[in-house]
Amino acid sequence: MQPQISAAACVQPVAMADAAVSASPAKRQRPHQPALAYSVNVSSVGTAAVNAVTVTLTIPPAVTPQAITSNMVSCSMGPGIATCDLGTLAAGSTRRIDVVLLGSQAGTFASSISLAANNDAFAQNNATSVSLTITQPSGVSPPAGGGGGGEVPR
């Protein structure tokens, strides 16, 4: 006996909105300068657009934000926090946020990053953190002996 198939139907994929956040390691912008920089990437990794995406960066007290920038995005800074309103991210798209910080004391600190969106289906990939190692706080001169500068003895 052979089975008979009288009709077939295709399975339709369900559209899912999912945003994910990741960050690059913090590094010095230029040698011998105390500014640290890192990038935050926010990606729409689902099959549908993600709406009303907001990224929040928590900045430790020992660190002062110098710049938080992104193309075509509104970012604001305040003591200990910065936010960027990314709006809608189309499926498959990514937005980058560049962060520049100055440290006021030596040590290792963490900056946490989180995102929120109206229709994000999966919260597991909505947070990350960046380790900030400050070896030379801003306002402190590099050690002597590096050459250049100073007075010439007479």
Side-chain angles (χ1 to χ4, degrees):
M1 183 174 237
Q2 295 281 334
Q4 292 186 348
I5 300 174
S6 62
C10 293
V11 176
Q12 296 292 323
V14 175
M16 296 287 266
D18 182 23
V21 65
S22 63
S24 66
K27 61 183 180 190
R28 291 203 182 282
Q29 280 195 302
R30 295 180 193 98
H32 308 297
Q33 287 194 349
L36 292 171
Y38 66 90
S39 295
V40 175
N41 288 312
V42 181
S43 302
S44 176
V45 296
T47 57
V50 186
N51 301 322
V53 179
T54 301
V55 175
T56 302
L57 294 88
T58 304
I59 301 165
V63 180
T64 303
Q66 296 300 297
I68 312 263
T69 58
S70 184
N71 289 340
M72 302 180 296
V73 176
S74 170
C75 295
S76 61
M77 296 185 291
I81 197 163
T83 58
C84 294
D85 295 321
L86 304 181
T88 298
L89 291 177
S93 67
T94 298
R95 296 248 176 93
R96 184 173 121 176
I97 302 167
D98 294 312
V99 181
V100 179
L101 308 167
L102 281 178
S104 60
Q105 68 185 56
T108 300
F109 308 94
S111 175
S112 61
I113 303 133
S114 63
L115 73 82
N118 285 350
N119 62 334
D120 190 356
F122 302 100
Q124 296 87 345
N125 55 3
N126 290 2
T128 191
S129 65
V130 173
S131 179
L132 309 169
T133 301
I134 300 165
T135 55
Q136 179 183 322
S138 61
V140 176
S141 298
E151 292 183 25
V152 177
R154 297 180 189 228

